[in-house]
Amino acid sequence: VQLQASGGGSVQAGGSLTLSCAASGGAFGDYAAGWFRQAPGKEREFVAAVSKTRGTPNYAESVNGRFTVSKDNAKNTMFLKMTSLKPDDTAVYYCAAHYFVVLKASLIDYWGQGTLVTVSS
């Protein structure tokens, strides 16, 4: 499956952005999917994921309550709605797919290209 992320941009602290990830060459319904991010000089870290069948969400503690992940299998698209953004959220965000939910970037089978989110104070 190929993944294409979009929706990044620049926003002020407290603002909102919604990222999208479109899948092709495969069905999102066959995978768990999620988002990771990588800030300059830091390792890629888990942000949020949604399970394959029930769509159960999982969130990193740092974004819980502010971000919402969802997957529309009919449209083969995944979303990450980000609210109350903070400067610490600045990073390149990557969408990912795997056969089950994983929280470690090294275990992910499929990656999209990144989309940059910049949050200014």
Short mmCIF file of all heavy atoms in Angstrom, two decimals, residues 37 92 110 115:
data_model
loop_
_atom_site.label_atom_id
_atom_site.label_comp_id
_atom_site.label_asym_id
_atom_site.label_seq_id
_atom_site.Cartn_x
_atom_site.Cartn_y
_atom_site.Cartn_z
N ARG A 37 5.61 11.38 14.35
CA ARG A 37 6.21 12.68 14.03
C ARG A 37 7.68 12.68 14.41
O ARG A 37 8.11 11.92 15.29
CB ARG A 37 5.46 13.81 14.75
CG ARG A 37 5.60 13.80 16.27
CD ARG A 37 4.70 14.87 16.87
NE ARG A 37 4.83 14.92 18.33
CZ ARG A 37 4.05 15.66 19.12
NH1 ARG A 37 3.11 16.45 18.59
NH2 ARG A 37 4.23 15.64 20.43
N VAL A 92 7.81 17.05 11.48
CA VAL A 92 7.33 16.43 10.27
C VAL A 92 6.45 15.26 10.69
O VAL A 92 6.88 14.41 11.47
CB VAL A 92 8.49 15.95 9.38
CG1 VAL A 92 7.94 15.23 8.15
CG2 VAL A 92 9.37 17.13 8.97
N TYR A 110 4.70 0.24 6.40
CA TYR A 110 4.40 1.17 5.31
C TYR A 110 4.39 2.61 5.83
O TYR A 110 3.72 2.91 6.81
CB TYR A 110 3.05 0.84 4.69
CG TYR A 110 2.96 -0.57 4.18
CD1 TYR A 110 2.29 -1.55 4.91
CD2 TYR A 110 3.56 -0.94 2.98
CE1 TYR A 110 2.22 -2.85 4.45
CE2 TYR A 110 3.49 -2.24 2.52
CZ TYR A 110 2.82 -3.19 3.26
OH TYR A 110 2.76 -4.48 2.81
N THR A 115 4.72 15.40 6.18
CA THR A 115 4.15 16.72 5.96
C THR A 115 4.52 17.58 7.16
O THR A 115 4.35 17.15 8.31
CB THR A 115 2.64 16.66 5.72
OG1 THR A 115 2.14 17.95 5.39
CG2 THR A 115 1.88 16.11 6.92
#
